[in-house]
Each structure stands twice: as structure tokens, then as C-alpha cells.
Amino acid sequence: MSSFTRTIPQYKTREEVEALISGRDSFVPLTFRPGRAGAGDSIYLVYHGFIAGRARITRVVPAQATRFGGGRVPDWAKWLVCYSGGWERPPRQIAVQGHQGVRYLDELGLGALDGETW
């Protein structure tokens, strides 16, 4: 498994994070391809040092400046991490300190999270 975390910028509000987790865009835009991640892995959102949610990846595809899954693809996006089933919220606070951007779970010592039922 090559699940990974994606950090939400600090300047985003809690309301914006809740809107993202509650939304049904079905993709997360990225500026680069997460090379090790693929279908069946998970993407974990990190906000202010804690995991805010996770979603199961269905595929990673090149982004295009068109509508995809009912949402608008940002101009800066080069890749889309597509997911299904919506976001799951963690059953407890899970701290993830010391990084920005994207990190794979095995690099953070959090590989066991994929096996947990949320």
C-alpha cells in the first residue's frame, strides 16, 4: 500500500475544510503525480497537524481544465487523485506533525492506519 497524506494550507478555515470533506467533488487536485499511490490506496487530509479525513483512491489521472465529476478543476492542477465513497472521519485525534504537502504513510510511521476501520 502507498497511501499518503495531503496537508491543507494553514490559512484555510475550518469551514473550508468541512466543506471539502462534506463535498462530492470526487477528486483532489495536485501539482504533481503521487508516483507510488494508486487504486486501492487512501489519501489522508491533514489540517493543523491532525488527520481530518481519508478517502479511498480509485485512480490518479492527468488533470484537464474541464469539469470532472461535477467539480471545477483548478488551473494549477496537473493531476487528479480520484476517490469514491466520500470522506471518512477519524475515530480519534491522530497527530501528524512536521511536514507540509504530501508524505507517504510508511515514511511517517503511520502504515497501520490503512488497516483501521473508521
Side-chain angles (χ1 to χ4, degrees):
M1 298 287 283
S2 291
S3 297
F4 66 96
T5 64
R6 173 66 172 125
T7 303
I8 298 170
Q10 292 282 340
Y11 62 83
K12 296 288 187 178
T13 66
R14 186 73 190 158
E15 291 77 23
E16 289 174 299
V17 175
E18 288 298 322
L20 174 64
I21 292 174
S22 299
R24 292 289 176 191
D25 274 346
S26 73
F27 67 87
V28 174
L30 296 176
T31 57
F32 58 91
R33 186 184 195 295
R36 295 174 13 201
D41 293 329
S42 293
I43 179 171
Y44 292 78
L45 293 182
V46 175
Y47 180 65
H48 286 251
F50 293 92
I51 292 179
R54 78 174 173 191
R56 185 72 57 198
I57 298 170
T58 56
R59 60 192 170 143
V60 179
V61 297
Q64 298 179 13
T66 60
R67 286 205 170 280
F68 180 86
R72 169 107 175 94
V73 176
D75 291 339
W76 54 263
K78 302 224 184 304
W79 293 90
L80 300 178
V81 177
C82 304
Y83 61 88
S84 64
W87 291 94
E88 297 177 288
R89 295 177 188 267
R92 65 188 184 288
Q93 284 194 334
I94 303 170
V96 181
Q97 297 292 337
H99 79 278
Q100 294 179 352
V102 169
R103 295 289 184 273
Y104 291 94
L105 291 186
D106 58 348
E107 294 171 0
L108 297 170
L110 297 172
L113 285 180
D114 275 343
E116 287 185 11
T117 301
W118 288 12

